Amino acid sequence: MSAELPENVPADPYHDPFEPEEIRIGGLAAWMAVVAFLFVCVAPPVWRNVTQWRLAVAQADQSAGDEEPAWVPVVEFWKDQTDGRFTLPGQLREFNSDLEDAPFTDPPRRAIQEFLTANLHQGNAKTVLGRDGWLFFGPAVGALTGAGPVSAPALGPASDPKLKNWEPALPVIRRYAAELRQRGIELVLIPVPVKPMILPDDLGGGTFDGAVTHRDAAKFRGELEAVGVIVLDFTDALRARRGSGKGAVFLRQDTHWHPRAMEWVAREVAEQVKSRPWFSESRGGAREYNFKETDRGSMGDLVEKLDLPASSGLFHPERVPLRQVVDSGTGGRPQSDADSPVVLLGDSFVNVFDDPKLGFGESKSDDQDRIGAGFAQHLAAALGMPVDVIAKNGKAATEVRQDLANRHREDIRQKKIVLWVIASRDLFYTPGPALENGVVWKDVTWRQSERPEFVLPKGSILVEATLDRSAPYPSPKKVNYPDSLYQTVWKDVKVIEGEALPAGMGEIVVEFWAFRKRRVVATGRLESGSRYRFAIRPKFDVSEIESSQVSGFDDENYFDVFFAESAEPVAGP
Amino acid sequence: MVFSSHIFVFYFLPLALLSYYAAPRAMKHLVLTLVSYVFYGWWNPWFTLLMLGSTVVDYYCGRLITGEGASRRRRKTGLWVSVVVNLGVLGFFKYANFGAATASGVIALFGGDPVVVPAFLGQVVLPVGISFYTFQSMSYSIDLYRGHAKPACGFIDFACYVSMFPQLVAGPIVRYGSVSEQLRSRVHTVGGFTMGLARFNLGFAKKILFANPMGTIADAAFAAGPGVLTSPAAWFGVAAYAFQIYFDFSAYSDMAIGLGRMFGFRFPENFNSPYKSRSITEFWRRWHISLSSFLRDYLYIPLGGNRLGGGRTYVNLMTVMLIGGLWHGASWNFVVWGGIHGLMLAFERLMGRKPFFGGLPGWVRLVFTFIILLITWVFFRAENFDVAARYLAAMFGGGGGASAAPLLSAVLFTPFNLVLFAGCAVAAFFAPRTVRILAVLTPWKVWVSIGLLAGALAVMFWQGFNPFLYFQF
């Protein structure tokens, strides 16, 4: 560490003359290089604008159906944003974000991912490659190794300002438990251990005697139990089950648990519920259920998140035995029952093996029946009675609780217990990863009215309305689930066909698909200020969207919401 | 807008070049100024007003200073207005909350009530690159006051200098004196343009292929909870951060210098293989050269430099390094980082030209220097002291123990990460500087650079958005 400087390091580097240089390239060669450089920069956006323009012309001639709508960047830049305003920063942000998702980025990205996966055993931010073909959800590993909610580092001066309003899980859950208790409802939290907790050996890095838990887990559980929350933690039991050879606990290429492990947990939870004194008295709705064995395959959500080329042969579908639950009375899948005293809140760990959008369906079609072999159905079977299910993929932190709070007081009064199934990673995220993964912990707004203010008409109503504003939704390529709805608010509503809307309903809130299979669909590009015609149905009547993510407004909660599948532009009001 | 973004490469840069070269000679500075304002306004258009304000103040201060027959008092007034306004703006946006928090902490120590900060201060967002352009703009008035530069030919020329997008938000800090002649007259040649694009391409590749992957490793290591970080993982993580910050920042400088060249400017070099340093003194001759020389010429020397005796020299050294640390961010972590560097500089100065460790082989001194740098980088990267202390403890054997620790190691020590880490180490310790690689520009070097740009763009699609680290400063 001598203070002497080598000869090539000037004592006064700033005032040195510029480095000597020699340009040994002829005029023609230099011009060719300049053209090549500009071609690399210009070709992708020009190609995109031209192809999108041609697509727009083709779509103007005929109905495009579910096809991704044309989006010509240089034209769209000048249109209003989804929130109905034209602000330069907003336009620029939206333009930038859309450019990052441009279709011309797909082929090179996928080719690189395939090369890295095949040759360097490298996944991406969402999918971590373990041993022997085991895949892990990257954010889950990060949540497990991260600082956690109790000892999360304070935010620095350069931190994202959005993080400063972020609230950790613990205080929110405690307040929620107190609110439920006021209403005579018991809260049972069921944090589902994530794959690296139970199968760390398959991720690598060492040998493990038992399950891996987050450092804060015990403290977290203790603080909840201290305020009367029952925490059913199956981490050690599932690890023991894996060790005892009773069957697989997790799927190899998917984030979620193996159906046999899930069924076992459903039965264990049911036993807890059955031990409650009120249970035997509330058997009025008792049902009988049968089981039907089947076998289904899925590539797994973790392979989907790798986003490999369609022709890639690196992975093959994983087949699992499913036990479908059949309601003896109806002969169909057990339905959610809003009158049940047992409420099941949950995320994709509840929906998997029921919601075909999570895989394991009969086909790849969007419109197929629910599978009926999920956690909720097995819980109902084990209880011998239907349960009230509110489960949304990736949204068990707040949205499912808000959906329950949206019910009228009369509906809430009959509830006895809330079983809250949530991926444990959601509990342990630090602010940054939480926001990246769409996990927000907020208090819910309880509906104060005793009975419905409006009786929403059943069935479909054809309306014309002007789009006032739309909730922003995240980039389809950056979220954990390939499908998402978003909320829109409409004014000047005119019923064209069907039952009249309740008096006093000045504006209506309608959920449309923003993107499906990670592609923005036509309904995701509705323009604020424009008038559309569409058929609405009360959201609670539409079973195919009940588990889907919804992008809502940050500071607004709407109690009565409709759903519409498509919208046709019409001339002004 | 950042250089390694879709919007910059695919829209902004081609359009900026097109409009610049299509403009008549007399309009070129106006065009470059306008595109630079678009570039800066991309983050938040309102911040362009701030830059415009700073530009107007410094331009008129410059006129006050250099006006015909300007009295000494008038010249001083011009200088002080410039310095106070620029530092005031910087202080408000960057240090107001930090100052209030620090004051509250001190008052609380004595049992007092915390300082009540006006609510709006909590909403203040740090304008990108403010530390760079306020320094740059201020250098104009100081250089004029000292007689080191001639005044700008007009407001547009000066606005072009302040806002010039290639080096606007993350340096190099180009002092007015070093480009004033180029603003008056410069030559545009296709050869020079080719040199610029080759330099830009190499910088782009450096950012995407080296800096970003190292950032992923560093982020995972620094996000680790208590007990999760083992000693090897901690060293690996901080070394990855050392490579990230070097390749990120030097890539930005390469791209800035390359872009400047495309517009006919030559900017000073900002890096000289800093990790080849065998002492901290040498490191500061090689690292962020434009900042260290700025601090030396505008702070260290006015404080007296080494002309006022040994004791005062050490005080001056520490002062400069502490302020240099604080310049990087409003956090005590940066002050500690600067403080350690200041102590090391003072220690090396105290040892003189023939220190007791001077006989050690060069590579041993290089390794020691790098280890000291790694320790200081912990303070630079950590969110706060707790994390820094925990991280340092993990580096020296006080980590691990948590059941999740092996999981982090599994995620960090992947073949991909190890291959890239080795590539970065070779590039940082053994490869020649970019400017030397391109010292003799031949056709094959240009074509290789274009190939690297295309490849790096493909990798950028895979990586997603990764801003430059120095933007936050």
Side-chain angles (χ1 to χ4, degrees):
Chain A
M1 289 182 285
S2 162
E4 277 185 90
L5 299 174
E7 279 183 10
N8 64 333
V9 181
D12 186 2
Y14 191 82
H15 292 122
D16 259 21
F18 293 116
E19 297 272 341
E21 64 178 31
E22 189 182 340
I23 299 173
R24 282 193 209 157
I25 183 165
L28 180 64
W31 275 110
M32 284 170 62
V34 171
V35 170
F37 171 74
L38 291 175
F39 179 80
V40 170
C41 297
V42 167
V46 167
W47 176 81
R48 185 185 184 205
N49 277 285
V50 170
T51 52
Q52 289 293 299
W53 183 267
R54 290 171 61 183
L55 182 62
V57 172
Q59 286 179 353
D61 292 343
Q62 56 187 26
S63 173
D66 261 354
E67 194 181 333
E68 187 171 12
W71 202 86
V72 189
V74 295
V75 174
E76 298 295 333
F77 178 78
W78 304 104
K79 293 185 178 172
D80 286 353
Q81 285 178 80
T82 48
D83 64 0
R85 290 179 303 148
F86 185 103
T87 59
L88 196 54
Q91 298 301 115
L92 300 178
R93 264 197 306 276
E94 197 158 302
F95 189 80
N96 207 25
S97 145
D98 194 86
L99 185 60
E100 285 175 20
D101 292 341
F104 66 74
T105 65
D106 290 342
R109 187 183 59 249
R110 288 174 182 147
I112 284 171
Q113 184 63 67
E114 186 174 40
F115 173 81
L116 293 177
T117 303
N119 298 293
L120 284 173
H121 196 65
Q122 181 68 18
N124 57 20
K126 296 285 185 191
T127 302
V128 176
L129 273 57
R131 293 174 176 161
D132 304 324
W134 281 93
L135 304 182
F136 294 82
F137 185 45
V141 179
L144 205 50
T145 59
V150 176
S151 53
L155 297 169
S159 302
D160 185 341
K162 276 188 285 187
L163 300 179
K164 289 175 184 161
N165 299 323
W166 187 83
E167 194 159 14
L170 189 58
V172 176
I173 299 175
R174 287 164 66 160
R175 288 195 293 270
Y176 186 59
E179 288 165 1
L180 287 176
R181 201 175 306 115
Q182 276 178 358
R183 291 163 174 79
I185 304 168
E186 181 186 13
L187 175 63
V188 177
L189 182 69
I190 304 151
V192 181
V194 287
K195 200 194 283 187
M197 294 168 70
I198 307 298
L199 308 177
D201 323 66
D202 295 311
L203 179 59
T207 51
F208 299 82
D209 297 330
V212 170
T213 53
H214 193 280
R215 184 189 167 92
D216 289 343
K219 187 175 180 189
F220 192 88
R221 178 178 174 167
E223 294 209 17
L224 286 178
E225 287 176 341
V227 294
V229 178
I230 307 291
V231 181
L232 295 181
D233 186 349
F234 293 98
T235 304
D236 291 333
L238 286 172
R239 172 75 182 181
R241 189 180 163 81
R242 181 249 191 196
S244 69
K246 285 182 183 170
V249 177
F250 277 91
L251 300 169
R252 193 176 285 262
Q253 296 175 182
D254 199 280
T255 314
H256 301 99
W257 42 18
H258 191 277
R260 292 290 176 263
M262 178 204 70
E263 291 164 19
W264 176 78
V265 172
R267 288 195 294 274
E268 292 292 312
V269 173
E271 288 307 313
Q272 287 281 332
V273 177
K274 285 177 179 174
S275 69
R276 302 300 191 264
W278 50 262
F279 182 75
S280 52
E281 295 157 19
S282 59
R283 299 276 294 153
R287 294 280 181 86
E288 279 202 15
Y289 298 96
N290 298 319
F291 297 101
K292 186 179 145 193
E293 303 288 341
T294 185
D295 185 62
R296 292 280 174 86
S298 170
M299 194 61 98
D301 64 344
L302 294 170
V303 176
E304 191 267 339
K305 288 179 175 71
L306 275 177
D307 195 18
L308 295 163
S311 60
S312 173
L314 290 178
F315 294 94
H316 302 286
E318 183 177 8
R319 295 202 75 80
V320 290
L322 290 186
R323 194 173 290 153
Q324 290 174 303
V325 181
V326 180
D327 186 327
S328 316
T330 64
R333 160 186 172 270
Q335 297 292 316
S336 172
D337 181 1
D339 295 329
S340 173
V342 180
V343 178
L344 173 63
L345 303 180
D347 53 19
S348 58
F349 279 90
V350 166
N351 287 325
V352 68
F353 313 125
D354 183 38
D355 179 0
K357 286 199 284 295
L358 294 173
F360 305 99
E362 277 181 309
S363 68
K364 289 187 173 176
S365 155
D366 282 341
D367 304 314
Q368 52 182 314
D369 293 336
R370 287 188 159 254
I371 303 162
F375 184 88
Q377 294 77 48
H378 281 278
L379 179 67
L383 288 173
M385 63 182 285
V387 292
D388 184 1
V389 187
I390 305 175
K392 288 182 184 300
N393 302 330
K395 294 291 178 185
T398 296
E399 287 79 352
V400 292
R401 293 184 297 119
Q402 184 57 60
D403 273 12
L404 178 64
N406 283 353
R407 305 265 183 88
H408 302 95
R409 290 171 67 171
E410 191 179 62
D411 295 337
I412 296 290
R413 196 167 292 130
Q414 58 196 310
K415 305 300 178 193
K416 297 289 184 195
I417 192 167
V418 166
L419 305 170
W420 186 6
V421 176
I422 182 165
S424 54
R425 62 172 182 266
D426 286 6
L427 304 169
F428 298 120
Y429 278 134
T430 39
L435 287 188
E436 281 168 26
N437 288 284
V439 176
V440 178
W441 289 94
K442 282 202 301 195
D443 291 331
V444 294
T445 311
W446 290 88
R447 196 169 193 154
Q448 296 303 319
S449 60
E450 192 66 25
R451 292 186 182 76
E453 302 92 330
F454 304 122
V455 179
L456 292 185
K458 295 273 181 187
S460 181
I461 307 167
L462 188 66
V463 298
E464 270 184 24
T466 304
L467 180 58
D468 186 51
R469 58 192 186 276
S470 312
Y473 54 83
S475 159
K477 290 187 182 163
K478 292 175 188 151
V479 291
N480 294 333
Y481 297 95
D483 307 289
S484 178
L485 300 152
Y486 75 124
Q487 289 190 333
T488 55
V489 179
W490 300 78
K491 58 187 182 185
D492 305 325
V493 185
K494 183 176 158 193
V495 175
I496 305 294
E497 196 178 297
E499 205 174 322
L501 289 170
M505 220 176 197
E507 55 182 22
I508 59 171
V509 181
V510 185
E511 288 177 4
F512 286 93
W513 286 112
F515 52 85
R516 305 189 80 171
K517 294 182 180 168
R518 299 198 187 278
R519 288 279 181 204
V520 175
V521 292
T523 49
R525 302 270 197 213
L526 301 177
E527 287 174 29
S528 297
S530 297
R531 201 156 172 83
Y532 292 85
R533 177 179 293 189
F534 47 94
I536 54 174
R537 284 181 288 167
K539 184 185 167 185
F540 55 76
D541 271 358
V542 191
S543 63
E544 63 263 31
I545 62 162
E546 65 192 24
S547 57
S548 297
Q549 286 202 347
V550 182
S551 294
F553 296 92
D554 270 352
D555 303 318
E556 292 170 279
N557 176 54
Y558 295 99
F559 293 125
D560 298 302
V561 179
F562 293 93
F563 167 74
E565 186 81 46
S566 60
E568 293 287 323
V570 292
Chain B
M1 203 183 302
V2 299
F3 296 160
S4 58
S5 70
H6 300 58
I7 194 75
F8 181 83
V9 176
F10 295 130
Y11 282 94
F12 181 84
L13 180 58
L15 288 173
L17 287 169
L18 180 72
S19 20
Y20 179 80
Y21 280 100
R25 195 175 191 83
M27 301 290 283
K28 283 197 190 303
H29 285 169
L30 176 64
V31 170
L32 189 51
T33 306
L34 290 176
V35 296
S36 296
Y37 270 77
V38 172
F39 175 87
Y40 191 62
W42 201 262
W43 281 283
N44 187 336
W46 291 108
F47 288 153
T48 56
L49 294 178
L50 197 63
M51 189 166 67
L52 181 65
S54 173
T55 307
V56 169
V57 167
D58 285 310
Y59 179 71
Y60 283 100
C61 286
R63 290 186 62 164
L64 263 185
I65 293 166
T66 59
E68 214 167 291
S71 65
R72 184 179 163 80
R73 190 175 165 186
R74 187 172 141 176
R75 285 161 50 79
K76 271 204 162 174
T77 306
L79 175 70
W80 277 107
V81 169
S82 167
V83 170
V84 168
V85 168
N86 281 294
L87 293 184
V89 166
L90 188 61
F92 174 77
F93 282 98
K94 196 161 180 173
Y95 302 107
N97 282 308
F98 171 69
T102 304
S104 286
V106 172
I107 292 168
L109 275 180
F110 296 98
D113 294 330
V115 173
V116 179
V117 181
F120 73 92
L121 269 185
Q123 306 300 318
V124 170
V125 178
L126 183 67
V128 174
I130 190 170
S131 308
F132 285 90
Y133 74 74
T134 48
F135 267 37
Q136 206 163 278
S137 184
M138 198 165 60
S139 80
Y140 174 70
S141 319
I142 301 174
D143 281 358
L144 290 185
Y145 183 80
R146 290 175 170 179
H148 290 173
K150 293 177 189 167
C153 287
F155 180 74
I156 296 298
D157 278 14
F158 181 64
C160 180
Y161 156 70
V162 174
S163 65
M164 206 183 299
F165 79 85
Q167 37 69 252
L168 172 62
V169 290
I173 301 170
V174 179
R175 286 187 265 185
Y176 183 73
S178 60
V179 289
S180 58
E181 287 307 317
Q182 299 179 55
L183 281 165
R184 287 169 199 276
S185 153
R186 64 186 179 281
V187 182
H188 299 87
T189 63
V190 67
F193 190 98
T194 315
M195 176 66 91
L197 74 86
R199 186 76 187 261
F200 175 83
N201 294 345
L202 292 188
F204 192 90
K206 215 191 251 187
K207 161 74 176 160
I208 300 291
L209 304 179
F210 283 167
N212 290 351
M214 291 301 102
T216 310
I217 299 172
D219 287 351
F222 277 88
V228 174
L229 205 57
T230 59
S231 182
W235 283 101
F236 186 55
V238 73
Y241 181 68
F243 291 141
Q244 180 199 9
I245 194 162
Y246 167 52
F247 286 113
D248 190 278
F249 194 14
S250 73
Y252 187 92
S253 294
D254 286 337
M255 293 160 87
I257 292 168
L259 286 166
R261 201 66 196 272
M262 289 186 215
F263 290 94
F265 288 93
R266 286 195 76 175
F267 296 149
E269 295 297 322
N270 211 16
F271 287 90
N272 181 0
S273 302
Y275 291 145
K276 291 176 187 166
S277 302
R278 294 169 189 182
S279 67
I280 297 299
T281 308
E282 184 182 339
F283 175 78
W284 279 103
R285 297 284 199 284
R286 293 174 176 266
W287 176 270
H288 202 172
I289 296 165
S290 62
L291 175 69
S292 51
S293 359
F294 188 99
L295 291 175
R296 185 198 58 188
D297 290 351
Y298 296 121
L299 191 59
Y300 179 69
I301 291 175
L303 284 173
N306 57 4
R307 290 163 291 144
L308 302 176
R312 184 62 188 270
T313 302
Y314 296 120
V315 170
N316 289 345
L317 265 179
M318 276 307 287
T319 307
V320 169
M321 293 313 293
L322 290 172
I323 290 177
L326 203 55
W327 175 87
H328 284 86
S331 158
W332 287 107
N333 276 31
F334 291 114
V335 178
V336 170
W337 173 80
I340 297 173
H341 275 278
L343 283 175
M344 286 306 301
L345 289 175
F347 172 72
E348 288 175 1
R349 190 176 186 90
L350 190 67
M351 289 291 105
R353 287 187 172 274
K354 299 286 178 196
F356 65 87
F357 44 76
L360 291 172
W363 69 267
V364 174
R365 285 182 283 148
L366 184 147
V367 169
F368 271 131
T369 303
F370 190 62
I371 289 172
I372 291 167
L373 290 172
L374 292 185
I375 292 168
T376 63
W377 284 137
V378 170
F379 289 97
F380 201 88
R381 172 61 179 80
E383 290 273 10
N384 54 40
F385 279 141
D386 288 345
V387 175
R390 198 167 73 211
Y391 201 98
L392 283 169
M395 283 167 72
F396 293 100
S403 63
L407 294 185
L408 183 66
S409 297
V411 173
L412 289 182
F413 296 108
T414 64
F416 177 77
N417 287 347
L418 291 170
V419 165
L420 284 176
F421 185 85
C424 287
V426 168
F429 293 116
F430 302 106
R433 304 157 61 194
T434 318
V435 68
R436 299 309 312 154
I437 292 172
L438 296 178
V440 178
L441 188 71
T442 53
W444 75 266
K445 286 183 185 174
V446 177
W447 287 107
V448 166
S449 84
I450 292 172
L452 277 173
L453 172 72
L457 278 171
V459 176
M460 182 179 82
F461 300 152
W462 176 71
Q463 287 174 342
F465 180 65
N466 268 295
F468 288 90
L469 290 178
Y470 258 70
F471 275 30
Q472 61 186 298
F473 309 134

